[in-house]
Amino acid sequence: MYGLLFFIEIVLFYIAVIVFGVGTVYRLWYWLQTPVPLRINLAPAKTTWKGVTGKIAAEVLLFISLFRNDKWLWIGAFAMHVSALIALLGTHFFGVIDAGIDLWTPYTIPGAKTFIYVFACFAFPLIAALLFLLIKRIVTRDVRRLSIATDYIAIGLVLAHVIGGTYMSFFTELDMGEVMKWGLGLVTFQPYVVTVSWIFPVHLFTGFSLFMYFPFSKLFHPIGQISNRWTMTQKETELIAGGRCVR
Amino acid sequence: MMKLQEGLNKLIEIEANSLPESERKSEAFKERQRLDKKIMEMTIPPEKAEYDRRGTPIIDSDEEREKHHLLTFDEIEVQRKAIEGMIRKSVDRPYLARAKDLAYIGIPEPMEPEKRPEKALELLGDMRDDFRSLMLSVDICTKCGACVEACHTYLGTADPNNAPVGRVDLLRKIYKRYFTRAGRLFGGFAGGEDITQETIDLWYKYFYQCNECRRCATFCPFGIDTCEITIQARQILTKLGLVPDFIVSVARGMHHVGNNINIPPAAYADTCRFLKEEMKEETGKDIPIPIDQEGAEVLLNPSSSEFFVTFDSIKGAAKMFYAAGTSWTLSSKILEAANFGLFFDYGVMKEHNNRLFNEAARLKVKRVVAGECGHGWRTWKMFSSQLSKPLNYPVTHLEDEILDYLRDGRIKVDKSQNPLPVTIQDPCNMARACGYIDQPRQILRAVCEDFRDCWPRGDRNFCCGGASGLLMDEFMYHRMMFSKPKAAQVYNTGALILAAPCAICKAQLPNTMIYWQTGATVHGIIDLVGYAVNPFL
């Protein structure tokens, strides 16, 4: 049992970091080293770099094309991504910062626990949105026909990870001291295995799986979106006197 | 005029009659009926002043129709019969070109079917390394389904392979199987599929049912452009020797006589003489249509169909240049703006492009003006500098030219020459690839009394259904199905004239308007400008 826990909590962590880092860099590099022989702007094209950046930002941050097209899908997708971002950053990073401050400084952040609870509450809209998207995929005739196993694997993994996290936040009392020791152990290469909780390694397993799966699957789509938009949203230059003609 | 709902019911009836009894209750058929209703809803404009509908004037005598440049009832009847005849003989994939025709334009002859899959894989590998757009599109799709009902081919046929995601999936499956680690390891589980002769057959069928209109790219949250996949897939098919006969005949015409529809120089010279006489009768002025005149200010690069079908376009251009006092010329080496190379072969595209470069140099013109053609303008505006070489003279579009003349007061226009309600078609390549959305509207507002914008408009407008070289007669059934949304749109404006600044639209839409009984007649924007400058010549 200890061996399995050691593998999930320690070995898998290092594997996931390497696979994630190398995979992401490799895939992005492979995309960007491939030439774009012809300009494939999608109109209306912007004329300034400010405009181009603004357009890409609106697409990446607000999914503006989707908003104009399919309101229901936009609601599902936007709710899912925003609550995922808040829940992920809020619970994990804020939790780590809070625990670190507790551990090393004489200070505490007032109301930190409440904050983490509030962040963790975003897991509920996240689960709802994920289920909504899953049901939409199954119900829509043509999307169902085109969906393959990996589409369901991706959504299932995320759901499992979020449900595990929610259970940990609301239904168990996780010893943050133990978690900090584990984290420090990873950074200082002095492995420390958390053995007091069963849900913690399960949550870690789904999390690391997602990390490793990320660069090789459709989960990579945010980075793909930026690359694709960048390819298609170039500045409209005076290639051949467009607009007012020269006499 | 018949209500579109009735037109759609008629379609459903035609479809039902062509299907065996059992299929009329099939799910696919019900899906088509659902989509027909969806099309109706999509094309009803929002309640805003600019989309105000003021009814449609009824013009039912043939003399009056001719005076207003509308098709007469006899013409409509003749064309309707022709369309229905073609629909009866329609097939679901265009006829293949013969080997000797391919050889004429320098394309290898068709391979034996057994060798095709292997060669296709090799070519797909090359394409992946050469086109970032191809790889990105295949890689990042999350199959959210946002594009499905944005595609007019899907709305028209309810064929899941015609939904953009389905179409790309034909190629994606092969790509995943052979070019990704997951696909090589897990095969079908990771969405891969072995390549077979049937795959190649499906590629030919469905990539030649894509209009390359890029509407899906506008609707996709990631901006995935099915047009890019279609272009690349067609390049692969071309190298396997699989090209529709129609497209090859067009490329041959270009190669042979410098225009797409094989008009010999003597024939169009004669047409020009005839048109000059006609304009003399109309206006009493000697309005020239010069060919190969060195040192002119403008080299006009119109579409060759203007010397064959839509004469009013070239007459309109001649009148406008005459009124503005601009010296202009046509070139006998290239009488064609439409560059069909974009639809099947980059080599042909490049050759066509170079031809225009050389002609401009030979005739020592000050600038080149591209005529009404959507994808031709896309090739010129977006691709020339990478395809050929940087230009040392300006190239503008006819729309820019008209707007310049209007702004500077070099031509005067009389709105009352175009009193009928006019709506607009945004050709896909003009609007979505080149951003010409406001220009045509400015012109139409200046030259027409009753301009009615359509809905959806601009970069979200529907394709005419004939784009990307799918104008073959044997494809008429699909062409009519693809243009269903367009017909609904025009019907909902109540316009009697549809202004379409694109040669392919002008070839496809008259059929659409007649088949779906919208009652509109198709003209180019330059036609309407020509009518409006008439009194001031």
Side-chain angles (χ1 to χ4, degrees):
Chain A
M1 195 63 203
Y2 181 85
L4 184 66
L5 287 181
F6 184 85
F7 176 75
I8 291 173
E9 293 182 13
I10 311 295
V11 180
L12 208 56
F13 170 82
Y14 291 116
I15 296 176
V17 167
I18 291 167
V19 169
F20 176 79
V22 173
T24 304
V25 170
Y26 171 77
R27 195 142 180 218
L28 195 58
W29 168 81
Y30 199 91
W31 280 346
L32 297 184
Q33 58 97 36
T34 312
V36 185
L38 301 171
R39 284 158 52 91
I40 48 166
N41 271 23
L42 193 64
K46 301 289 176 199
T47 46
T48 57
W49 284 117
K50 222 186 220 172
V52 170
T53 322
K55 187 168 178 174
I56 295 176
E59 290 292 351
V60 174
L61 300 177
L62 300 173
F63 315 164
I64 210 85
S65 287
L66 192 59
F67 177 73
R68 289 207 200 113
N69 176 13
D70 189 337
K71 295 280 189 294
W72 279 108
L73 185 56
W74 181 83
I75 291 170
F78 196 70
M80 196 268 267
H81 285 90
V82 167
S83 43
L85 204 66
I86 295 174
L88 183 91
L89 294 182
T91 52
H92 296 87
F93 289 91
F94 187 71
V96 168
I97 291 165
D98 176 50
I101 288 172
D102 281 352
L103 204 66
W104 289 311
T105 67
Y107 312 107
T108 52
I109 301 174
K113 292 286 171 292
T114 326
F115 273 125
I116 292 177
Y117 269 117
V118 171
F119 289 138
C121 281
F122 277 88
F124 296 111
L126 175 54
I127 292 170
L130 280 168
L131 287 175
F132 170 75
L133 292 176
L134 183 62
I135 290 166
K136 197 172 186 305
R137 181 175 291 285
I138 295 168
V139 169
T140 317
R141 189 179 71 120
D142 290 298
V143 182
R144 180 183 62 226
R145 195 192 310 243
L146 291 161
S147 296
I148 51 168
T150 46
D151 293 323
Y152 297 105
I153 289 176
I155 212 163
L157 259 179
V158 177
L159 258 181
H161 188 67
V162 177
I163 291 172
T166 315
Y167 182 85
M168 233 158 47
S169 301
F170 294 103
F171 304 105
T172 57
E173 194 61 48
L174 189 67
D175 186 350
M176 279 312 280
E178 286 278 300
V179 176
M180 282 314 283
K181 276 187 204 160
W182 165 79
L184 280 177
L186 289 176
V187 180
T188 54
F189 298 101
Q190 287 159 348
Y192 177 85
V193 178
V194 181
T195 48
V196 291
S197 158
W198 65 269
I199 188 72
F200 182 67
V202 169
H203 188 63
L204 282 187
F205 180 75
T206 50
F208 293 154
S209 307
L210 275 173
F211 263 86
M212 288 188 287
Y213 193 49
F214 182 80
F216 304 103
S217 65
K218 68 172 200 172
L219 293 176
F220 206 58
H221 65 264
I223 298 179
Q225 183 189 24
I226 298 170
S227 321
N228 200 32
R229 286 285 172 195
W230 184 254
T231 313
M232 303 192 67
T233 319
Q234 290 300 309
K235 192 165 68 120
E236 175 92 6
T237 47
E238 290 298 308
L239 185 71
I240 53 176
R244 212 177 154 80
C245 71
V246 188
R247 246 179 250 115
Chain B
M1 199 203 309
M2 200 186 256
K3 292 238 179 295
L4 187 81
Q5 188 60 55
E6 290 170 39
L8 284 172
N9 287 341
K10 184 169 156 268
L11 161 86
I12 291 166
E13 198 188 302
I14 295 170
E15 281 176 348
N17 288 341
S18 68
L19 292 170
E21 188 75 37
S22 56
E23 278 180 44
R24 277 183 229 181
K25 291 186 186 75
S26 71
E27 203 192 323
F29 188 62
K30 280 185 194 137
E31 176 76 2
R32 288 174 83 136
Q33 285 176 315
R34 183 182 74 79
L35 288 173
D36 286 350
K37 286 197 194 90
K38 178 109 192 165
I39 291 169
M40 291 292 291
E41 288 162 16
M42 278 166 114
T43 50
I44 294 171
E47 286 183 15
K48 279 189 196 163
E50 68 226 69
Y51 298 107
D52 188 23
R53 304 294 175 239
R54 289 164 295 262
T56 307
I58 294 163
I59 299 171
D60 47 9
S61 80
D62 274 359
E63 292 96 63
E64 221 177 322
R65 288 185 74 89
E66 259 177 43
K67 197 186 118 216
H68 287 298
H69 316 287
L70 298 178
L71 289 176
T72 60
F73 291 118
D74 289 346
E75 286 168 336
I76 290 176
E77 190 56 26
V78 168
Q79 283 200 36
R80 196 182 57 77
K81 282 199 179 122
I83 295 164
E84 281 175 1
M86 284 185 238
I87 283 179
R88 271 196 296 280
K89 290 179 198 152
S90 270
V91 289
D92 62 354
R93 61 199 81 187
Y95 297 145
L96 276 172
R98 290 168 305 174
K100 60 179 182 184
D101 292 340
L102 290 174
Y104 192 85
I105 51 169
I107 287 169
E109 61 180 73
M111 305 179 99
E112 293 129 59
E114 302 82 55
K115 284 186 190 160
R116 282 175 195 162
E118 203 185 323
K119 181 75 179 164
L121 275 186
E122 191 190 317
L123 292 165
L124 184 59
D126 293 348
M127 286 289 170
R128 178 191 64 155
D129 294 338
D130 288 352
F131 292 91
R132 188 193 297 170
S133 55
L134 175 83
M135 195 168 40
L136 274 172
S137 309
V138 173
D139 275 352
I140 64 177
C141 177
T142 57
K143 296 187 180 161
C144 68
C147 56
V148 174
E149 283 175 8
C151 179
H152 62 288
T153 67
Y154 179 80
L155 288 171
T157 59
D159 187 335
N161 283 335
N162 262 339
V165 50
R167 200 188 312 275
V168 179
D169 218 46
L170 294 172
L171 196 137
R172 185 183 290 115
K173 281 189 274 194
I174 308 304
Y175 178 88
K176 287 239 160 127
R177 167 70 183 78
Y178 294 97
F179 297 98
T180 63
R181 223 159 261 109
R184 278 194 292 260
L185 286 175
F186 302 111
F189 190 70
E193 194 182 271
D194 287 342
I195 190 165
T196 59
Q197 286 174 39
E198 200 196 351
T199 315
I200 307 289
D201 191 48
L202 281 177
W203 282 11
Y204 181 72
K205 179 174 174 187
Y206 286 107
F207 288 118
Y208 278 102
Q209 285 195 15
C210 172
N211 282 126
E212 301 186 356
C213 76
R214 308 181 90 199
R215 195 168 192 261
C216 43
T218 305
F219 282 78
C220 174
F222 310 115
I224 296 174
D225 192 353
T226 308
C227 170
E228 283 298 307
I229 309 281
T230 301
I231 291 179
Q232 268 38 293
R234 286 186 183 186
Q235 306 285 325
I236 294 174
L237 290 171
T238 300
K239 294 202 174 72
L240 300 177
L242 302 171
V243 195
D245 188 39
F246 172 76
I247 291 183
V248 172
S249 77
V250 164
R252 275 190 58 169
M254 191 65 226
H255 203 82
H256 194 54
V257 285
N259 63 65
N260 276 0
I261 47 179
N262 278 301
I263 325 174
Y268 59 74
D270 202 43
T271 308
C272 288
R273 215 166 20 247
F274 165 73
L275 291 176
K276 271 187 268 186
E277 277 165 25
E278 220 179 59
M279 285 193 286
K280 173 102 180 170
E281 264 173 44
E282 273 174 43
T283 62
K285 297 277 162 50
D286 282 312
I287 300 169
I289 304 182
I291 300 178
D292 284 344
Q293 194 183 72
E294 269 186 43
E297 193 182 335
V298 163
L299 169 62
L300 179 68
N301 183 26
S303 169
S304 52
S305 65
E306 293 174 16
F307 299 87
F308 192 63
V309 199
T310 53
F311 299 115
D312 283 3
S313 298
I314 193 69
K315 271 160 69 181
K319 284 176 190 170
M320 185 194 71
F321 283 125
Y322 180 80
T326 308
S327 69
W328 65 293
T329 183
L330 298 165
S331 161
S332 59
K333 292 275 174 357
I334 178 149
L335 203 69
E336 185 61 70
N339 190 340
F340 268 47
L342 176 65
F343 302 146
F344 77 109
D345 187 51
Y346 282 130
V348 173
M349 175 162 121
K350 194 170 172 176
E351 200 223 277
H352 182 128
N353 223 46
N354 288 342
R355 214 178 247 257
L356 195 48
F357 271 89
N358 299 338
E359 271 311 280
R362 182 176 75 91
L363 295 171
K364 302 187 186 68
V365 292
K366 291 216 182 67
R367 64 179 182 277
V368 176
V369 173
E372 293 191 331
C373 174
H375 73 273
W377 181 233
R378 181 183 185 195
T379 321
W380 260 108
K381 183 175 186 233
M382 310 305 283
F383 300 162
S384 307
S385 62
Q386 291 116 315
L387 209 59
S388 304
K389 55 196 168 190
L391 293 146
N392 46 10
Y393 48 82
V395 175
T396 61
H397 192 265
L398 200 53
E399 286 176 7
D400 298 321
E401 198 80 6
I402 300 168
L403 274 179
D404 269 7
Y405 292 160
L406 285 172
R407 231 173 291 168
D408 300 352
R410 286 175 70 183
I411 53 172
K412 289 196 184 68
V413 286
D414 176 15
K415 274 187 179 191
S416 65
Q417 297 292 315
N418 296 313
L420 296 182
V422 175
T423 187
I424 184 175
Q425 150 73 337
D426 288 291
C428 345
N429 283 300
M430 294 292 289
R432 274 182 287 269
C434 301
Y436 277 55
I437 294 165
D438 288 336
Q439 288 94 323
R441 287 176 169 76
Q442 281 173 25
I443 297 170
L444 286 176
R445 288 208 175 90
V447 301
C448 303
E449 271 185 348
D450 184 2
F451 170 66
R452 303 174 178 186
D453 213 335
C454 56
W455 185 265
R457 73 186 282 282
D459 59 330
R460 302 164 77 76
N461 208 335
F462 283 108
C463 171
C464 66
S468 81
L470 297 183
L471 287 171
M472 37 298 252
D473 294 346
E474 74 266 21
F475 209 55
M476 189 54 92
Y477 175 74
H478 283 83
R479 279 165 64 186
M480 291 301 107
M481 294 305 125
F482 294 170
S483 59
K484 222 192 268 182
K486 189 74 234 167
Q489 230 181 355
V490 175
Y491 177 80
N492 279 336
T493 64
L496 283 179
I497 291 179
L498 170 59
C502 165
I504 285 185
C505 296
K506 279 190 266 182
Q508 157 81 355
L509 288 175
N511 298 322
T512 303
M513 296 300 123
I514 290 165
Y515 183 74
W516 295 107
Q517 306 182 3
T518 61
T521 300
V522 182
H523 282 296
I525 285 181
I526 186 70
D527 303 19
L528 301 175
V529 174
Y531 306 146
V533 295
N534 233 350
F536 298 103
L537 289 170

